[in-house]
Amino acid sequence: MSLQAWIATRKGLFELRHEGARGWQVAGTSFLGDPVSMVLPRGAGAHAGAHAGRMLAGLNLGHFGVKVQASDDGGKTWHELPAPAYPPQPEGAPGPAWKLVQIWSMERDGQRLWCGTNPGGLFRSDDGGASWALQHGLWDRPERLEWFGGGYDTPGIHSICPHPLVPDELLLGISCGGVWHSQDAAEHWELLGEGLAADYMPPELQGALNTQDPHRIVRCAAQPEVLWCQHHCGIWRSTDNGRLWQRLQGPVSSFGFAVAAHPTDAGTAWFVPAIKDQCRVPVDGALCVQRTRDGGQSFEVLRAGLPQAGCYDLVYRHGLAVDASGQHLLMGSTTGGLWASDDGGDHWQDLTLRLPPIYAVRFEGC
């Protein structure tokens, strides 16, 4: 069985293929030297849609701005599409500048494409990325003015979770702006997240929904009411589509950025722990993955094949991915380390590719 994955890095987009005994190999590169902040593979998401064969990549070119590139032949050739654009900012409007800083997330939902950005705008495309519309139902909410940056100077939308069984339903994770839910394709929104706790806020504000910092939110595809959250202040799980959250305890650390949800087993998820806040490196210089297979009641610490001394690799929000079978995982770090597992995380292989800093890892079709 052949597997394909895409690695978005600070110096380009890398295509990986898994060919049996040869394992993972670099099969191609695109945009070499350019920062690629996010990639949307072909057919990713719950519904294929009319543009299922189109790939998208978000590039952050500094002085040249944010660009969107599309491929209709599996990454062999690319052409530029318009990037999401904010409308003119009214004079004296509060909050951050209405200017695209970065594409932080992209997801496919039937005929729609969704794009989450810094500074916190959600954009929709119904034509395969040929045009984008800012979703004013969220952007115009008064709560947005309370959002603040989590890892960047501006707030951003990093997690977009369409509901695979309910058309028009969408859940977002925003740093720092909490968990937002829409049932009508982003027209109206409800702020969720009861049970989450922001320990960095004063005691009386730690439960405030609008200042939560969910580092990453992922959904179980087969049981979509189950969501997992790696939060700045811990690990949480929801079994009611994000309305209520239960706090879990990781044995090594409950701090981290990445989480992956098993596509068919709602009790299984993977997390990558780290030392919290200013330090942000693996605990004791030993990289590991925490896996639960019972809904967070207990965790296994997976270390086989991962460096256990002198390791300072950090795995960011989109640096951990699982394929549609739930057996193959890829994990990439901000120092370019890349590891693969073919047995659900029990054992890992260092791919020793010496890649640039990794921003996102995605399997084809996921």
Side-chain angles (χ1 to χ4, degrees):
M1 175 183 176
S2 176
L3 291 172
Q4 186 177 13
W6 300 89
I7 316 297
T9 81
R10 187 176 176 180
K11 295 289 184 178
L13 178 65
F14 294 80
E15 177 189 0
L16 265 63
R17 288 186 181 270
H18 187 290
E19 302 289 354
R22 296 183 65 232
W24 288 101
Q25 305 289 327
V26 174
T29 59
S30 302
F31 319 115
L32 192 61
D34 292 334
V36 181
S37 61
M38 181 49 60
V39 59
L40 179 67
R42 293 178 293 184
H47 308 288
H51 302 285
R54 170 165 289 182
M55 291 182 60
L56 294 179
L59 279 65
N60 195 352
L61 302 181
H63 292 298
F64 299 101
V66 176
K67 306 293 183 182
V68 173
Q69 292 279 343
S71 175
D72 296 315
D73 56 10
K76 296 182 179 65
T77 61
W78 296 83
H79 58 278
E80 186 173 341
L81 296 178
Y86 286 84
Q89 185 170 3
E91 185 175 353
W98 294 22
K99 179 181 179 181
L100 181 60
V101 176
Q102 176 177 264
I103 291 174
W104 211 5
S105 53
M106 286 180 169
E107 297 296 341
R108 193 186 315 275
D109 178 23
Q111 305 297 325
R112 306 184 189 102
L113 299 176
W114 298 106
C115 179
T117 71
N118 299 74
L122 178 69
F123 289 82
R124 168 179 166 174
S125 175
D126 296 317
D127 52 16
S131 63
W132 298 92
L134 176 65
Q135 301 304 287
H136 282 276
L138 183 65
W139 184 252
D140 294 341
R141 296 278 305 206
E143 296 94 335
R144 181 181 63 83
L145 300 180
E146 298 177 358
W147 299 353
F148 53 95
Y152 292 96
D153 292 336
T154 58
I157 299 173
H158 49 69
S159 299
I160 303 175
C161 303
H163 196 296
L165 304 179
V166 182
D168 299 339
E169 185 166 321
L170 195 66
L171 183 138
L172 305 179
I174 302 174
S175 290
C176 298
V179 180
W180 288 83
H181 177 248
S182 173
Q183 294 179 297
D184 55 8
E187 188 70 23
H188 300 92
W189 292 88
E190 180 184 12
L191 180 58
L192 304 182
E194 194 68 37
L196 299 177
D199 298 344
Y200 46 81
M201 299 295 289
E204 67 275 12
L205 297 177
Q206 290 182 3
L209 303 184
N210 201 43
T211 56
Q212 299 298 320
D213 184 9
H215 283 173
R216 186 83 168 104
I217 300 174
V218 294
R219 189 192 292 278
C220 175
Q223 300 181 61
E225 300 300 303
V226 175
L227 294 143
W228 300 87
C229 175
Q230 174 63 72
H231 188 285
H232 184 89
C233 299
I235 296 170
W236 272 269
R237 181 175 187 252
S238 172
T239 58
D240 62 359
N241 204 25
R243 191 164 297 278
L244 298 174
W245 294 84
Q246 176 189 6
R247 194 168 197 165
L248 310 174
Q249 183 62 50
V252 177
S253 170
S254 291
F255 178 82
F257 290 92
V259 52
H262 196 287
T264 60
D265 180 1
T268 297
W270 297 263
F271 300 82
V272 187
I275 300 175
K276 191 175 180 180
D277 293 336
Q278 292 87 350
C279 194
R280 299 190 178 188
V281 297
V283 177
D284 298 326
L287 185 62
C288 68
V289 174
Q290 299 177 146
R291 179 182 64 196
T292 178
R293 293 192 282 195
D294 55 13
Q297 297 180 56
S298 64
F299 284 86
E300 304 162 271
V301 180
L302 310 174
R303 299 183 182 274
L306 298 175
Q308 295 302 291
C311 177
Y312 306 104
D313 293 69
L314 184 65
V315 177
Y316 266 177
R317 288 168 171 83
H318 305 103
L320 178 67
V322 60
D323 81 328
S325 74
Q327 287 299 305
H328 299 276
L329 292 105
L330 286 168
M331 178 172 64
S333 82
T334 57
T335 45
L338 185 63
W339 294 268
S341 174
D342 295 333
D343 56 10
D346 287 335
H347 303 88
W348 295 84
Q349 176 191 3
D350 186 346
L351 300 186
T352 62
L353 296 175
R354 296 186 177 274
L355 293 178
I358 294 171
Y359 296 145
V361 175
R362 301 195 70 164
F363 283 92
E364 185 81 357
C366 294

